[in-house]
Amino acid sequence: MSKKTPVAVYPGSFDPLHLGHVDIVRRALTIFPNVVVAVLENTDKLPLFSPAQRVELIRDTFAGMSGVEATSFSGLLVDFMRQRQARIILRGMRAVSDFEYEFQIALMNRRLWVEAEHVFLTPNEEYTYLSSRVIREVWRLGGDVTGLVPEPVNRALKRLPR
Ligand code: ADP
């Protein structure tokens, strides 16, 4: 296999997907023909949405936009990447505060799989303050997150008991 692959994998919790994530995917599509949004099936005991629901919401959000695929994975990201024959890991960089963590994980991924390459994109500045954690907190306290999350996520949140 050529080491150049047209697929970038965008891993994360996406609980829930918000417009900062969407912005990163849109930007990535100007560089890579295919972006796989990969939901980490982590052990968070109180998720808002199950991994399967998150995948569905990502699919609904990007329906009609070619080149975007949503799936979930468990275990090591690099194992998932190998299996998908993809070596580009896409991550968002909101601010300097993201840097240390991202740098640490990137170096670990590369230690685990020397072919892993990371691409960091920055969102439009209007999204830099967004995180899934903040969305969850605002929603749990009864706040309106319209305009911060894609419409399919907003609709799903409105149906969810708080
Ligand atoms: P969050 O940090 O929102 O809880 P995730 O763990 O799902 O979310 O994040 C997945 C990826 O998306 C990470 O690389 C993270 O830095 C990036 N990301 C999260 N929020 C934003 C944002 N507002 N703008 C750009 N990238 C973001």
Side-chain angles (χ1 to χ4, degrees):
M1 184 185 74
S2 155
K3 284 196 175 177
K4 286 191 185 167
T5 74
V7 183
V9 173
Y10 184 27
S13 309
F14 305 108
D15 187 32
L17 183 77
H18 56 65
L19 293 187
H21 298 132
V22 174
D23 189 71
I24 295 296
V25 171
R26 285 179 186 279
R27 283 167 200 281
L29 285 172
T30 68
I31 307 172
F32 304 100
N34 298 292
V35 173
V36 177
V37 183
V39 174
L40 173 63
E41 294 172 15
N42 59 14
T43 50
D44 190 346
K45 295 211 178 52
L46 276 179
L48 217 44
F49 295 110
S50 69
Q53 286 173 316
R54 285 177 238 163
V55 168
E56 263 323 295
L57 291 171
I58 295 166
R59 282 188 190 143
D60 289 350
T61 300
F62 293 105
M65 198 184 290
S66 66
V68 185
E69 180 192 327
T71 189
S72 64
F73 73 101
S74 57
L76 283 178
L77 172 63
V78 292
D79 289 340
F80 172 74
M81 306 278 305
R82 275 202 199 93
Q83 183 197 322
R84 293 297 307 248
Q85 299 199 315
R87 49 185 288 273
I88 305 296
I89 300 172
L90 176 68
R91 296 288 289 173
M93 191 74 84
R94 282 165 284 201
V96 176
S97 51
D98 279 341
F99 178 79
E100 209 164 325
Y101 174 75
E102 293 293 340
F103 191 58
Q104 199 178 14
I105 299 295
L107 291 177
M108 180 53 85
N109 283 333
R110 206 154 65 188
R111 186 191 159 85
L112 293 170
W113 187 37
V114 72
E115 286 184 26
E117 212 57 83
H118 296 73
V119 171
F120 298 97
L121 296 180
T122 49
N124 187 307
E125 61 202 32
E126 69 181 292
Y127 301 130
T128 50
Y129 70 101
L130 286 185
S131 73
S132 296
R133 186 179 56 81
V134 166
I135 299 284
R136 286 197 301 271
E137 278 173 15
V138 169
W139 176 81
R140 278 191 175 122
L141 295 171
D144 183 9
V145 293
T146 305
L148 304 177
V149 295
E151 261 318 298
V153 173
N154 204 17
R155 282 196 298 272
L157 284 173
K158 286 189 171 138
R159 288 194 301 266
L160 208 63
R162 272 189 239 252

